[in-house]
Amino acid sequence: MGRALAVAMVGLNGHIVEVEADIGQTLPNFILLGLPDASLKESIDRIKAAAQNSGIPLSRRKITVNLVPASLPKRGSAFDLAIVMAALEAAGDVRRTGRTVFLAELGLDGRLRPVRGVLPAVMAAVRAGHEEFVVAEDNVREAELVPGARVRGYLSLAQVAVDFDADTQDLVLDLPEPGVAAPAAETGEVRGPAPDMADVAGQGEARLALEIAAAGGHHLMMVGPPGAGKTMLAERLPGLLPDLQDAEAMEVTAIHSLDGSGPAVGQLIRRPPYEHPHHSASAVAIVGGGTGIPRPGAASRAHRGVLFLDEAPEYDRRVLDALRQPLESGELVLHRSAGTASYPARFQLVLAANPCPCGKATGKGAECTCTAMARRRYFDRLSGPLLDRVDIQLHVNRVSLAELSGAEPRESTHQVAARVLAAKERQRERLGRFGLAGNAEASGRLLRGVFRLPGADTALLDRALDTGQLTARGYDRVLRLAWTIADLGGHDRPDRDDVGLALTMRQRGMGT
Ligand SMILES: [Zn+2]
């Protein structure tokens, strides 16, 4: 009997799979149980060819391999190495494989290929009490990010076999040259310098709104004509957010590892991610899903960072509707026939929209030809539960020439981020005992109850509610913003001015 361990990923959750192999006396054959039909034949072919080309063929006797538990959904290729090692142990070619977790795909030539999701797989296995890991060379750095994991990386099956006491006589240890250059396992954060607030000319109100959004974790909607700088502002929001804490960084890196669309993850992702899927992107690309076990989409890759939807009314209605779930719960649960997977998706949402469908309505000298009906329909696409979660609505106008050439010193991202960090600390101290990370998560009940402000300071706000200028929801939003403004100002609680500024910001927006 041969044994080896592998990990099945369901969403971000990994489950240990025991691979058992048995030798029979009947006709030479290779039987694999516990994998879905579709990937079974592919796996068998790959495994047989890899073993053959490594000098340790599996064809001498009948081998039955069983993946336990069979009920777990599994994707084929990540189990290749565990399956072949269990089979080789059963055949007596290698020894003591039973306590090691093997995570690699096999090439037909016996090469080990990196697999997606090594980080969350190793995390799950370590949590389950396992310490020994064998992965493809290109996955070593990622696997080693997990404390408590002892990781060995190899280029080929033959090399792995040597380390598990195989007789080296027939092994093919020299691999043919790879057809394509192996991907360099460099850092997952190869980027240019982060965009800086110092590049933003003028836009005093927008800068302030961005700072408040960053400090309180508020979702933000910007309305303005094309060329007003909405994208420029949005892509500067992540830079205002503090580095991710250890556990957050691990979680974010795990999602990006599983997604596999970016470069190999060679180090923890410490900076809040920024995702800006185009409105023509599919619902699967944005929300997640796909065939087989559902994969994460842009919304999950934006976890602990920023999700920017430019020209938001143009997105597929299903995408906008699906985003309500993560805004509510911080995660996306995806149901597919192959199984249900859930991915964290606690992002800060930034929406941008033109003032009208044609984008030409600027207020002055407008060439806009949109009918009132067309305009209303455009914004109606965003209405309701999605906008209910957006605390800040902001009008962004094109910057004037005077502002562009103005010599006034502009604050850098570094300077603003320092204030944001201090404001976040204040919120943690105040809201931590309620299990809340920031003002954006505080309910109106909490703000009108435990954190009730003196009537004199909310007089303006109360009047706006009484006269119908504000809805009850709008009232709570202004309170949330006022607290963030107070946190940025270093006040113990919002004073009359903080409430007044929050109310102004709210009323300059589109609705109440
Ligand atoms: Zn128009």
Side-chain angles (χ1 to χ4, degrees):
M1 178 93 147
R3 287 187 72 230
L5 301 172
V7 178
M9 296 303 301
V10 181
L12 261 196
N13 300 315
H15 306 270
I16 286 286
V17 170
E18 293 190 22
V19 183
E20 302 167 347
D22 229 336
I23 296 280
Q25 298 301 328
T26 46
L27 290 174
N29 201 352
F30 186 85
I31 297 170
L32 187 49
L33 307 170
L35 267 187
D37 290 349
S39 50
L40 211 141
K41 186 174 173 347
E42 267 182 56
S43 265
I44 289 181
D45 290 348
R46 218 168 30 233
I47 288 162
K48 278 175 143 178
Q52 178 79 39
N53 291 328
S54 300
I56 28 176
L58 286 170
S59 52
R60 291 171 214 149
R61 271 171 295 184
K62 174 178 170 171
I63 300 177
T64 305
V65 176
N66 195 14
L67 272 57
V68 187
S71 59
L72 265 181
K74 306 175 192 81
R75 215 177 291 119
S77 66
F79 299 97
D80 285 359
L81 185 59
I83 292 169
V84 79
M85 291 305 285
L88 288 172
E89 192 187 33
D93 291 319
V94 300
R95 299 193 300 146
R96 53 180 183 79
T97 56
R99 294 165 61 95
T100 303
V101 181
F102 296 91
L103 298 167
E105 179 183 323
L106 291 172
L108 296 177
D109 59 359
R111 190 181 310 275
L112 299 196
R113 294 222 176 96
V115 292
R116 291 173 175 188
V118 157
L119 179 68
V122 173
M123 284 165 75
V126 167
R127 263 200 305 272
H130 303 283
E131 297 172 343
E132 300 288 338
F133 295 87
V134 168
V135 301
E137 189 71 44
D138 281 346
N139 272 149
V140 171
R141 285 174 43 168
E142 185 178 327
E144 281 179 335
L145 293 173
V146 183
R150 283 202 294 277
V151 181
R152 281 174 287 167
Y154 301 90
L155 291 171
S156 72
L157 173 59
Q159 290 175 4
V160 180
V162 170
D163 250 19
F164 286 84
D165 301 345
D167 180 356
T168 52
Q169 197 179 336
D170 299 319
L171 289 184
V172 181
L173 286 165
D174 290 325
L175 279 175
E177 285 298 305
V180 282
E186 281 311 315
T187 117
E189 292 189 287
V190 190
R191 289 182 202 160
D196 199 287
M197 287 296 281
D199 309 329
V200 180
Q203 304 283 24
E205 259 182 60
R207 293 179 68 109
L208 178 61
L210 211 59
E211 178 171 341
I212 293 170
H218 304 284
H219 304 305
L220 170 72
M221 162 116 180
M222 293 184 278
V223 179
K230 301 186 295 282
T231 299
M232 188 179 189
L233 289 161
E235 64 192 15
R236 278 158 180 76
L237 181 54
L240 300 181
L241 304 175
D243 278 348
L244 303 176
Q245 313 266 325
D246 287 352
E248 297 171 339
M250 202 68 122
E251 201 176 36
V252 169
T253 312
I255 294 168
H256 287 248
S257 157
L258 205 60
D259 172 64
S261 64
V265 180
Q267 62 184 55
L268 280 185
I269 296 174
R270 281 288 176 188
R271 292 301 305 152
Y274 175 70
E275 292 288 329
H276 49 106
H278 191 259
H279 60 70
S280 64
S282 67
V284 168
I286 297 174
V287 176
T291 53
I293 297 165
R295 312 197 69 83
S300 285
R301 287 198 306 275
H303 180 57
R304 303 286 177 198
V306 174
L307 179 67
F308 177 48
L309 304 185
D310 195 9
E311 302 190 47
E314 304 287 348
Y315 285 74
D316 189 333
R317 188 64 195 241
R318 284 171 304 169
V319 170
L320 297 174
D321 284 345
L323 289 178
R324 286 154 48 186
Q325 186 196 26
L327 289 180
E328 193 77 40
S329 63
E331 68 172 357
L332 269 162
V333 182
L334 304 165
H335 303 278
R336 293 295 180 275
S337 55
T340 296
S342 74
Y343 295 102
R346 194 174 292 283
F347 50 80
Q348 223 174 318
L349 181 66
V350 179
L351 302 170
N354 293 327
C356 68
C358 83
K360 287 178 185 159
T362 54
K364 46 196 168 189
E367 303 157 40
C368 167
T369 53
C370 304
T371 62
M373 174 80 97
R375 283 195 197 196
R376 205 172 56 237
R377 243 191 255 123
Y378 180 68
F379 283 106
D380 274 355
R381 304 187 59 160
L382 290 176
S383 68
L386 191 63
L387 283 187
D388 276 349
R389 297 263 150 196
V390 176
D391 284 343
I392 306 177
Q393 295 184 357
L394 172 76
H395 278 285
V396 184
N397 295 310
R398 288 204 187 95
V399 179
S400 70
L401 200 59
E403 283 176 310
L404 265 182
S405 51
E408 79 180 282
R410 303 171 192 155
E411 276 191 312
S412 68
T413 286
H414 183 71
Q415 287 169 297
V416 182
R419 281 197 301 270
V420 168
L421 183 63
K424 281 188 181 288
E425 289 297 334
R426 298 181 81 90
Q427 291 167 70
R428 215 191 324 272
E429 279 170 29
R430 185 175 66 244
L431 298 172
R433 65 193 165 105
F434 300 98
L436 304 173
N439 293 326
E441 294 176 12
S443 69
R445 243 177 80 196
L446 186 69
L447 296 180
R448 283 179 269 109
V450 180
F451 294 109
R452 185 178 200 87
L453 300 176
D457 290 339
T458 58
L460 216 60
L461 197 52
D462 297 335
R463 199 171 324 126
L465 182 67
D466 286 343
T467 57
Q469 288 171 275
L470 269 184
T471 61
R473 280 175 190 281
Y475 185 98
D476 291 341
R477 270 193 204 104
V478 173
L479 281 181
R480 283 197 282 271
L481 291 182
W483 274 99
T484 301
I485 291 165
D487 288 325
L488 280 166
H491 309 157
D492 287 337
R493 59 172 183 78
D495 59 23
R496 197 180 305 197
D497 291 344
D498 296 333
V499 174
L501 176 55
L503 186 60
T504 310
M505 287 189 61
R506 186 69 207 159
Q507 287 176 336
R508 293 224 183 132
M510 302 187 325
T512 50

